[in-house]
Amino acid sequence: GPRSQQLWDRSRSLLLQVQKNGLGDPDVEATLAQLLFETKKDLAVHHAEAALKNPAISVESRLNALYAVASHHHSQNRPGKSLEYLDRLIRIRRSASDWELRGMCQLQQREFQAAIESLQTAVAIDPELLPVHDILSRLYSNLGKTTESARHRRRVRRLQAIFRARRP
């Protein structure tokens, strides 16, 4: 709603004050990582890594912290480092976004078959991932696998039609 940014900023301010007063815990660190990720990525990653070092971290906070650090390393063109966190993450949950990011990291490393497997897992979890179907179509085309490429290209066209029909 209209107050969401105000509430987001207030939450960040309160948690930073809690931490400054020495009352932080791994869940506070992980939440700060989440709240700071869009504006101060390096600081967010620092909080996420601090949270991950604490064995008392909750499962939800661990998931958020792992994804934040993995995303950061991917955005900094460090796919190997990102994959370290993603591999820990996919052992805990089944999320299309985790597998998509994993596939993108593997593409950065030119591990095409591994990337295809990860991206296929992503669309198995969420069949409406249009960008992933598009990437798979191009990957299969580059590998000369025309049948698989055409199958994903058809899915892209179908999803585009569905998404257009959903618009008001």
Side-chain angles (χ1 to χ4, degrees):
R3 292 192 55 216
S4 62
Q5 186 61 48
Q6 181 183 6
L7 294 171
W8 192 265
D9 293 341
R10 180 73 176 136
S11 298
R12 182 177 51 235
S13 173
L14 288 171
L15 286 175
L16 286 169
Q17 189 61 45
V18 164
Q19 186 192 39
K20 183 179 177 182
N21 292 338
L23 302 172
D25 66 15
D27 295 321
V28 168
E29 295 282 357
T31 304
L32 276 169
Q34 207 171 1
L35 292 168
L36 292 166
F37 196 75
E38 291 302 317
T39 57
K40 298 179 181 177
K41 280 192 179 17
D42 289 336
L43 185 56
V45 169
H46 168 77
H47 286 293
E49 288 175 337
L52 291 169
K53 289 177 185 173
N54 192 320
I57 189 172
S58 71
V59 172
E60 184 177 342
S61 292
R62 180 179 304 281
L63 296 172
N64 291 334
L66 286 168
Y67 192 81
V69 176
S71 296
H72 176 71
H73 286 300
H74 172 71
S75 71
Q76 298 297 308
N77 201 28
R78 294 190 294 258
K81 197 71 173 159
S82 181
L83 285 167
E84 289 176 27
Y85 290 92
L86 286 166
D87 288 343
R88 289 169 56 189
L89 188 57
I90 63 173
R91 284 192 293 268
I92 303 170
R93 72 176 178 191
R94 182 171 169 83
S95 166
S97 60
D98 300 345
W99 285 95
E100 179 181 1
L101 184 56
R102 189 172 192 264
M104 300 311 291
C105 290
Q106 291 163 325
L107 281 176
Q108 281 181 303
Q109 293 183 317
R110 307 187 61 75
E111 296 174 1
F112 299 115
Q113 191 55 47
I116 287 171
E117 290 171 16
S118 292
L119 295 171
Q120 288 284 30
T121 301
V123 295
I125 296 168
D126 183 354
E128 292 188 355
L129 288 175
L130 189 148
V132 177
H133 285 292
D134 187 51
I135 292 167
L136 283 166
S137 174
R138 287 186 277 131
L139 275 172
Y140 281 127
S141 178
N142 290 341
L143 295 173
K145 297 183 176 187
T146 56
T147 303
E148 291 91 341
S149 177
R151 184 169 42 97
H152 286 283
R153 177 60 43 210
R154 282 190 303 275
R155 286 188 182 153
V156 166
R157 284 192 299 270
R158 265 185 297 203
L159 288 170
Q160 286 171 332
I162 290 168
F163 294 148
R164 274 193 301 270
R166 288 183 185 170
R167 287 188 195 146

